[in-house]
Amino acid sequence: MVMMPIVQWAYLLRMSAMRSKVLLSLRVVILVVAIVSCTTAGAQRQMEYLGRGVVAVNQGGGKVYVGWRLLATDMEEVAFNLYRSANGSEAVRLNDVPLKDSTNFIDGMADAAKSNSYFVRAVLKGEEHGASKSFNLPADAPAGQYLAVPLRTPQGYTPNDASVGDLDGDGEYEIVIHQSSRGRDNSQAGRTGRPIFEAYKLDGTFLWRINLGRNIREGAHYTQFMVYDLDGDGRAEFACKTADGTIDGKGKVIGDGDADYRNTRGYVLEGPEFLTIFDGLTGEAIATADYIPPRGRVRDWGDDTGNRVDRFLGCIAYLDGERPSLVMCRGYYTRTVLAAWNFRDGKLTNLWTFDSSDGTPGNKAYAGQGNHGLSVADVDGDGRDEIIYGACAIDHDGKGLYSTGLGHGDAMHLCDIDPDRPGMEVWGIHERPRHANGANLRDAATGKVLWGLRLNDPGRGLAIDIDPRHIGYECWANNSDGLYSCKGERISGAKPRSCNMGIWWDSDVLRELLDGVTVDKWDYETGRAVRLFSAEGCARNNGSKSNPCLCADILGDWREELICRTWDNMELRIYTTTIPADRRFYTFMHDSAYRLSVAWQNVAYNQPAHTGFYMGEGMAQPPRPEISTIVSGKRRTDQR
């Protein structure tokens, strides 16, 4: 059936009603089908309401860089007026004509000795709209490009992975940080510290602390956490696996606070396991259910030690195309289980469970295909999300979409890597492969391998656009013999040394290289990396994985912020670019694939967030997403 807007269907049915009453039943059936089809294919995704995210940075010499958000709900023709108020005086407009080509501005007349407050007003058809929330730059603010968030880091702990969500419903992000203590990989015996999570506002206001307790082991593969508005009330929740002895943000203990299930080798291989939803503003536990799947008999996962049974992943996915669901996972070396949950009206409900070992015909092929990470997007074009679980994919209904049989790997990237092809692709890296595709590009919807490289155990690989001479993203691995185009052509014997993460930092649409807390630009003409930025006084996380706490578009315009910890572990710094850009895009956080990438970025081996559209040289204007935003529990679909 050819799809058309419901209003067109209604018009045709009204005209036909004048001709024949006999067709009434048929018209009713067609109308119902049309409504259902349109609801499925064109449903609006329920996403965060965001403010303008204004940020101002003192550049010295009387210059201040100011950036703000364009929203996906804005009208195409929207422009902006920027205002500055000094020491509380009446605000003055800084631009002569409304700003419509970019969402940043250099204020060259600022008096640094005064407290300067900046805000923007949207302009439509010559009419100004309400003022955004102001950003206050204090008097004599030091020249730099970061916001400092003071932490209450417990002694012996280190700020590690972070995520963001609007915890209080004001349209701006708060930060949830994993405070990690002595940790262990699953393959390593020994007792660990107790994982702690803390929430802060961007001005450093402390919101809550959750202690997962002695019965949750500390380490990259144990403590996956999600921050997202799961119930549509306009405020994000915090979700993670819990156990007896977990203490919520109100000081309440979950289960038996005296229980200690650690064995002599430091593993936790018995005792109850829970999934808990916490209130994002207070940290209070508001819903708890038994974790699915239970560990059962440990050896059924592939060993007796706990190395395989306690490999966890997690994500958020729009499984119905409209509202977000929580997906918590267990296992990937052998048995693989994904459990989807809805959190609605204060209750957790298990939506479906996929188990490679439950006897369902075909499911066994999905065992051993997972990565130390996952990705989420609508790869088959039905409006609903699929979970790319390493070398396989699970459909929105909890059934297997495909399994490539390529096996486990450490890294993968899901995006429109080759814009000449329809749909999305996956650049996958495989550990000790028994095939000729140790690194490969595959069709995300079908799993068909498009091209591959014969590599043995590439630990890392990256796919981002760094060379404008070739359409699409460039692909490489840490042990590849050079740089490859998205078509599989070796375009250079030189490649970046880094293949950890990417970041949009400067003014073009190419992506920069992010390694730890440094940003490099790939000079494609000389075949070398050029340092653009280094977060002095800050430290990277997770050893050779070398990542910041978070990289995401959380402030200002479409470029990404770099969030990292200071060496003394007592401060987070949010670095934002101060390079003016002459193009504007709506905030990537209103692109579903990118927003979900930010939610799962903390999972196991951190990977960069990717947009659901091709973002690179030769790109088309990004498609406007079909979203509605939530304000105080009510949807907004208006464009401002």
Side-chain angles (χ1 to χ4, degrees), residues 375 412-415 462-464 473 500-504 511 514 550-553 560 588-589 591-601 606-612 615:
S375 193
M412 68 173 183
H413 304 276
L414 169 68
C415 191
L462 194 54
I464 55 176
Y473 289 3
N500 277 329
M501 300 187 78
I503 183 172
W504 281 290
R511 210 166 189 186
L514 173 60
L550 183 69
C551 174
D553 175 22
E560 294 175 293
F588 291 159
M589 296 297 255
D591 173 66
S592 176
Y594 182 91
R595 181 63 185 92
L596 298 179
S597 298
V598 172
W600 57 245
Q601 189 179 127
N606 307 60
Q607 301 284 276
H610 291 287
T611 55
M615 179 74 184

Side-chain angles (χ1 to χ4, degrees), residues 326-390:
L326 173 67
V327 182
M328 301 300 282
C329 319
R330 186 175 214 149
Y332 42 77
Y333 286 144
T334 51
R335 182 185 174 192
T336 293
V337 185
L338 294 79
W341 298 84
N342 282 343
F343 179 61
R344 309 279 191 263
D345 301 319
K347 296 180 180 180
L348 265 171
T349 304
N350 180 222
L351 186 61
W352 51 252
T353 301
F354 174 91
D355 189 340
S356 65
S357 299
D358 68 358
T360 300
N363 277 16
K364 189 175 181 181
Y366 291 77
Q369 301 301 307
N371 278 12
H372 300 298
L374 41 59
S375 193
V376 179
D378 174 19
V379 300
D380 59 7
D382 66 355
R384 304 173 179 93
D385 284 335
E386 286 71 48
I387 297 101
I388 306 301
Y389 204 77

Side-chain angles (χ1 to χ4, degrees), residues 497-516:
R497 293 183 61 185
S498 166
C499 54
N500 277 329
M501 300 187 78
I503 183 172
W504 281 290
W505 187 259
D506 65 8
S507 60
D508 61 35
V509 295
L510 301 177
R511 210 166 189 186
E512 284 64 63
L513 303 162
L514 173 60
D515 185 28

Side-chain angles (χ1 to χ4, degrees), residues 417-438:
I417 294 171
D418 183 351
D420 288 341
R421 295 186 70 258
M424 306 174 79
E425 294 81 32
V426 177
W427 175 242
I429 304 298
H430 300 277
E431 185 177 295
R432 292 189 290 275
R434 298 179 182 178
H435 49 76
N437 296 301

